[in-house]
Amino acid sequence: MTFGFAGRLTAFLITTISAVLLGLYGLGVVLPLMYPPPWSCVGFAAAGLSIWLGTAPRRGSDTAQQALSIFVLLIGVISWSEYLSGRDFGMDTLLFPDELLTTVPHPGRPAPVTGFNFALLGLALFLLRYSKGLPALIRELSAVTSIAFCHLAMLAFVFATGRGPASREIMVPLTALFFIASSVTLLASRPEGPLLSLLRSAGPAGIFARWLMPVPLILPIVTVLVRMAGQKTGVLDARNSGPILSFVDVLAAILIVWGSSTQVLRSDILRRDAEEELRRSRDELDERVQQRTLELRRSNQKLAAEVAERHRAERDLQLANATLNNVIDASPLAICALNQDGSVRKRNSAAELLRIAWAEEFREIIERAALGETSAAVEIIQERGKGLPRYLNVWASPLVRSGGERDGVLVMAVDVSERKAFELQIRQTQKLESLGVLAGGIAHDFNNLLTGIMGNASLVFEEMSSTDPQRNYLRQVISASQRASDLTRQLLAYAGKGRFVIEPVNISQLVTEISSLIRTSISRNVQLQLNLDPDIPAIEADASQIQQVVMNLVINGSEAIPEKGRVIVSTGLEDLDDAAIRSFSQSDKALSGRYVSLEVQDNGSGMDEETIARIFDPFFTTKFTGRGLGLAAVQGVVRSHKGLLGVRSTPGQGTAFRLLFPIAGSTGAPIPASRPAREVAGARGPSLAGRGTVLVIDDEAMVRETARNTLERMGYHVVEAEDGEAGIGQFAKQAGKITAVLLDFTMPGLSGLETFQRLKQIRPDVPVILSSGFNETEVARRFNGEGIAGFIQKPYTIDALASKLKQALAGSRSARA
């Protein structure tokens, strides 16, 4: 049982008993003298409530406790004031009837000693909240004084019992008991006060206080009891009771002093022993402290070195972490570390851009890695709304602690969209280059065949009379051969080697001159609209090839219009930088600068991205039946002119082809829309005849035979060689006789260039005429600075060959002169 509970129990009993007595008084019950009078019961009820409030664990009613203590104090002060002044203030008639008040010793009023104790008790209750200082000392002295007075009052009541009215002036025992219980409770509620602290101390003062306390409290009681017992038995009387009781008091005092002194001596011995033990312990402690201090000093030195090393390691670690974080943040590789619950632990800007932590495409890989599975270079496709999808290579692995427990997931990803596009572009380029090589080879062999066909046909044509009906058939054969030659031009254009007749061309004038031909080639439901800039610079181009490109694009645009619509042809001038050039697919050889633009735009059905990716494939078409190389030839022409080609199209909204050509630096004269038809044959004038020996070097037997027949008809002697090695051998034997050399540009074994150089080493002044299916510009580029005497393009007629030989021999004679 704790004191708090005992104190509140004491307060409850005092309050309850007082309330019960008040109730009895209120009912008119006359109680014996050993019970307190009515106003004493009121004071004790207030005191009990004040003690209850003052000892409660939670003190939320200090004001009520203070008010009750003041009320108790007022009861004592008013009672003493009445006794001291001899006046009746009427307090005794406030609560009780006069009939009841006449039966008590003091009419409703506490006895004088009781009033004084109420004043002491009220003062102690008022100072209950103080635990230290002068207020606490006054509270304890008030409580001790009340206890002493009540103790003496109980003794006096015992002596006065049975002696008449004297006993009615003394405090009744129950009142004294209430005062003692209240005062003890007040003292015990604040044990940290100065008086109780003295009684509780272990020193000599505390010992003397505890041993001498019975002197005023117990010794009088013992003396009174001995006297009463002696008088009752007749052992003591008035004569001998004084010395005997005095002897008893002195003996009791001696015993108390002897006991307290013994306790003080024992305490002193124990103190000395404790001090000696403390001194020895202090010496041992000092020695241990010195030893420990030395050990601590050494440990501190070692710890300081370890701390310094740790600081260096921490700085190195911080530097490494900062470097690693900078590397991770600056890395183009997307890096993201996740916890097991999917929350982000660390990521760089590339990972945030790819939305690794929350994008649906990464969920399956992350979940597998969280279960311990490692994924390496997994390709995923990430959609980007209206933009092109993003191709990613993803690596994912679990993060494992030192104990083997999985701690998260590490995901790395790299965007390979550009590499994918580049690989696709490389494959497309390789495919186009392969097809270009194939087209060039086919054109070369086809030109050799056409040379034989056209040459032999022209020979027969020359032999016929002008009235021969078969002459018209040969004319058709030669004309068909010329159209087949145009087909080889397309093949060479696709191969990127189609610069046939290069001259300054004004595209705006060219489009204007062929506009009437274009309008007759497209549907009447399609309107042709020309937005041409007449002041644009000229470009270096083959006019017939540019015409073919424009015709091809306009016809394609008109055929893409289902009902009614328009095709717009626009020209202009643009300045392109490197970034703009890289946006075109065929931009590897293009340079930044000024370009002439040609755009053909229609409002037809348009194309999707998949169709756009294939439109430049040879023979690809979106029509029911396709024909020719189509846009592949257009791409070849643009590429052979070092131009750029771009396409933009939207399904249902139309298509626009944008062609850009580098300017030539000067404005070209207008080029006719169509060239005059070439004469397939004509009268051979006497000026084409000649004399001398011509060495024909060609790997195609039909070409050699055609050349030999043509030259012999012109009066020349012909020596044939099937390749470069044979030609060099023939030339070495007859170098002084040979007048000129007709050399094929493309041959197996030694090339035309190598054969040419070997011939020049044997005889530098020999005129060499090159023949090839490629155009003169391509051949001149290969033979730059080598000094060829002339060039003739396959297929050729007998007049063209004789004329070219005549010009070469004339130039050679002028050079020698």
Side-chain angles (χ1 to χ4, degrees):
M1 181 182 296
T2 61
F3 170 75
F5 175 77
R8 289 191 297 277
L9 179 61
T10 302
F12 174 76
L13 292 176
I14 293 174
T15 304
T16 303
I17 295 173
S18 300
V20 171
L21 294 177
L22 283 173
L24 295 176
Y25 281 125
L27 296 175
V29 178
V30 179
L31 298 177
L33 292 179
M34 62 176 299
Y35 294 102
W39 268 102
S40 295
C41 292
V42 173
F44 284 125
L49 289 175
S50 179
I51 293 173
W52 176 277
L53 295 176
T55 57
R58 296 182 181 179
R59 296 173 182 173
S61 56
D62 290 342
T63 303
Q65 191 271 336
Q66 292 289 303
L68 291 173
S69 63
I70 293 174
F71 179 73
V72 174
L73 178 62
L74 288 175
I75 292 176
V77 171
I78 293 174
S79 299
W80 262 75
S81 298
E82 288 180 336
Y83 285 119
L84 292 176
S85 63
R87 298 175 60 185
D88 186 1
F89 297 148
M91 184 182 69
D92 50 349
T93 61
L94 294 178
L95 299 177
F96 307 100
D98 294 340
E99 294 80 6
L100 178 63
L101 296 179
T102 56
T103 62
V104 296
H106 305 281
R109 172 189 313 166
V113 178
T114 303
F116 180 69
N117 275 275
F118 269 123
L120 292 175
L121 181 60
L123 179 62
L125 286 173
F126 184 78
L127 299 176
L128 180 61
R129 56 181 174 174
Y130 298 101
S131 59
K132 294 182 180 179
L134 182 61
L137 179 61
I138 295 175
R139 183 192 71 246
E140 290 182 334
L141 290 177
S142 299
V144 170
T145 304
S146 176
I147 293 173
F149 271 106
C150 293
H151 181 70
L152 294 176
M154 292 182 68
L155 294 177
F157 186 83
V158 172
F159 277 108
T161 300
R163 297 187 180 184
S167 62
R168 304 171 68 90
E169 303 291 335
I170 303 173
M171 182 188 303
V172 295
L174 187 58
T175 301
L177 183 61
F178 280 177
F179 277 123
I180 292 175
S182 301
S183 299
V184 171
T185 301
L186 288 176
L187 289 173
S189 64
R190 292 289 185 269
E192 64 272 17
L195 182 59
L196 289 183
S197 297
L198 176 64
L199 293 174
R200 294 165 57 196
S201 66
I207 295 174
F208 274 109
R210 289 190 295 274
W211 276 86
L212 294 178
M213 188 186 302
V215 174
L217 297 179
I218 301 176
L219 190 59
I221 297 176
V222 172
T223 303
V224 171
L225 293 178
V226 170
R227 183 177 180 179
M228 292 176 62
Q231 291 178 354
K232 186 177 182 179
T233 57
V235 175
L236 297 178
D237 53 18
R239 290 177 301 172
N240 59 8
S241 60
I244 293 175
L245 292 178
S246 298
F247 174 77
V248 172
D249 290 339
V250 171
L251 179 62
I254 292 174
L255 291 177
I256 291 173
V257 172
W258 176 79
S260 61
S261 301
T262 303
Q263 290 294 325
V264 171
L265 179 61
R266 184 180 303 171
S267 175
D268 185 63
I269 294 174
L270 292 176
R271 179 185 60 79
R272 291 180 182 179
D273 293 341
E275 288 177 353
E276 181 66 21
E277 183 66 25
L278 180 62
R279 185 186 61 79
R280 288 196 301 268
S281 299
R282 185 167 57 248
D283 293 340
E284 293 178 359
L285 181 61
D286 289 341
E287 183 179 356
R288 293 176 63 183
V289 166
Q290 293 177 358
Q291 182 179 359
R292 186 58 179 168
T293 301
L294 181 60
E295 294 177 357
L296 287 176
R297 186 179 297 112
R298 294 173 181 172
S299 298
N300 288 337
Q301 293 174 353
K302 183 178 179 181
L303 181 60
E306 293 178 355
V307 168
E309 181 65 25
R310 182 173 181 179
H311 286 169
R312 285 194 296 271
E314 289 179 352
R315 287 195 299 269
D316 294 341
L317 180 59
Q318 291 175 357
L319 179 60
N321 288 336
T323 303
L324 179 60
N325 289 333
N326 291 334
V327 170
I328 292 175
D329 292 337
S331 174
L333 181 67
I335 303 173
C336 183
L338 304 172
N339 296 315
Q340 281 293 103
D341 59 357
S343 59
V344 176
R345 183 184 303 175
K346 173 67 177 177
R347 67 181 174 191
N348 60 4
S349 56
E352 187 173 0
L353 176 64
L354 297 182
R355 300 178 291 114
I356 291 179
W358 61 85
E360 186 68 26
E361 296 85 354
F362 296 92
R363 178 172 299 178
E364 182 179 355
I365 296 177
I366 293 175
E367 290 177 352
R368 292 204 306 265
L371 296 176
E373 181 179 344
T374 300
S375 302
V378 177
E379 182 175 296
I380 66 174
I381 302 176
Q382 189 178 50
E383 298 296 335
R384 292 192 288 183
K386 296 182 180 180
L388 295 176
R390 183 186 284 123
Y391 293 88
L392 305 173
N393 280 350
V394 182
W395 293 261
S397 60
L399 294 175
V400 183
R401 294 180 181 175
S402 58
E405 181 183 358
R406 289 194 295 271
D407 190 36
V409 175
L410 176 63
V411 183
M412 296 181 292
V414 61
D415 190 346
V416 294
S417 301
E418 293 185 3
R419 190 182 74 187
K420 282 277 187 181
F422 183 66
E423 290 175 353
L424 180 61
Q425 182 178 352
I426 289 178
R427 287 196 297 269
Q428 183 73 6
T429 302
Q430 290 173 345
K431 179 173 66 175
L432 294 177
E433 289 178 352
S434 300
L435 292 174
V437 172
L438 176 62
I442 293 174
H444 174 266
D445 294 340
F446 199 25
N447 272 331
N448 287 334
L449 296 175
L450 290 175
T451 301
I453 295 172
M454 188 179 293
N456 288 313
S458 61
L459 285 174
V460 175
F461 187 84
E462 291 294 331
E463 294 293 334
M464 288 183 178
S465 65
S466 59
T467 60
D468 193 331
Q470 305 298 325
R471 188 181 178 91
N472 187 49
Y473 296 143
L474 282 178
R475 188 187 299 274
Q476 293 180 5
V477 171
I478 296 173
S479 179
S481 298
Q482 289 176 344
R483 288 195 297 271
S485 177
D486 291 337
L487 178 59
T488 62
R489 285 171 177 263
Q490 289 192 17
L491 291 172
L492 290 173
Y494 176 74
K497 303 173 182 179
R499 303 188 203 99
F500 293 92
V501 181
I502 303 300
E503 55 190 338
V505 175
N506 187 303
I507 295 183
S508 295
Q509 296 179 13
L510 185 144
V511 174
T512 300
E513 293 174 3
I514 65 172
S515 59
S516 59
L517 178 62
I518 295 175
R519 285 189 171 92
T520 60
S521 302
I522 62 178
S523 173
R524 294 182 179 181
N525 295 329
V526 177
Q527 177 187 0
L528 178 64
Q529 179 180 339
L530 302 180
N531 296 332
L532 307 177
D533 183 358
D535 298 326
I536 59 174
I539 65 171
E540 296 285 348
D542 183 290
S544 63
Q545 294 296 313
I546 301 301
Q547 291 175 5
Q548 187 65 34
V549 166
V550 175
M551 291 287 293
N552 195 338
L553 294 178
V554 173
I555 292 174
N556 280 349
S558 66
E559 291 178 350
I561 299 174
E563 295 179 357
K564 291 184 179 182
R566 67 178 182 273
V567 177
I568 303 174
V569 181
S570 305
T571 59
L573 186 63
E574 296 186 21
D575 291 325
L576 300 182
D577 56 12
D578 293 337
I581 289 176
R582 284 195 296 270
S583 64
F584 293 88
S585 60
Q586 302 293 334
S587 61
D588 52 344
K589 297 181 181 179
L591 302 176
S592 60
R594 307 192 76 185
Y595 283 77
V596 172
S597 66
L598 170 65
E599 185 172 86
V600 179
Q601 181 179 3
D602 64 76
N603 59 352
S605 58
M607 298 178 290
D608 55 19
E609 294 181 359
E610 183 179 358
T611 303
I612 293 176
R614 299 186 57 194
I615 58 175
F616 295 110
D617 292 348
F619 305 104
F620 174 79
T621 180
T622 58
K623 307 179 183 67
F624 181 72
T625 58
R627 53 185 180 274
L629 293 173
L631 291 175
V634 173
Q635 186 183 52
V637 171
V638 175
R639 183 168 54 191
S640 66
H641 286 77
K642 296 183 179 179
L644 300 171
L645 174 60
V647 183
R648 65 179 186 273
S649 182
T650 304
Q653 298 183 12
T655 303
F657 287 87
R658 182 167 169 242
L659 287 66
L660 298 171
F661 299 97
I663 64 174
S666 62
T667 304
I671 304 301
S674 59
R675 295 182 179 274
R678 291 171 291 178
E679 294 292 335
V680 298
R684 176 172 52 85
S687 60
L688 297 180
R691 292 179 299 173
T693 302
V694 178
L695 174 60
V696 178
I697 305 175
D698 199 301
D699 62 325
E700 187 66 39
M702 183 180 296
V703 175
R704 293 196 306 272
E705 184 178 356
T706 301
R708 179 174 56 80
N709 293 334
T710 300
L711 294 174
E712 285 180 349
R713 286 178 62 85
M714 297 299 173
Y716 296 97
H717 176 68
V718 177
V719 178
E720 299 181 31
E722 68 274 9
D723 55 26
E725 290 288 351
I728 293 171
Q730 292 286 353
F731 185 75
K733 295 177 183 179
Q734 308 179 48
K737 297 180 180 181
I738 294 176
T739 307
V741 178
L742 180 61
L743 176 62
D744 186 17
F745 176 67
T746 305
M747 294 183 298
L750 286 179
S751 65
L753 178 59
E754 293 172 336
T755 304
F756 174 82
Q757 293 171 344
R758 295 274 293 275
L759 292 173
K760 286 292 185 177
Q761 289 175 0
I762 299 174
R763 182 183 161 189
D765 63 340
V766 62
V768 179
I769 302 172
L770 290 174
S771 67
S772 175
F774 298 127
N775 62 75
E776 183 176 0
T777 305
E778 180 70 19
V779 175
R781 184 178 64 81
R782 298 285 186 92
F783 284 79
N784 184 26
E786 297 291 344
I788 60 175
F791 173 80
I792 185 170
Q793 185 173 355
K794 297 177 183 179
Y796 47 78
T797 62
I798 60 174
D799 290 343
L801 178 58
S803 176
K804 186 65 68 174
L805 180 59
K806 196 75 172 180
Q807 293 174 7
L809 291 176
S812 177
R813 285 194 293 268
S814 298
R816 287 198 298 272

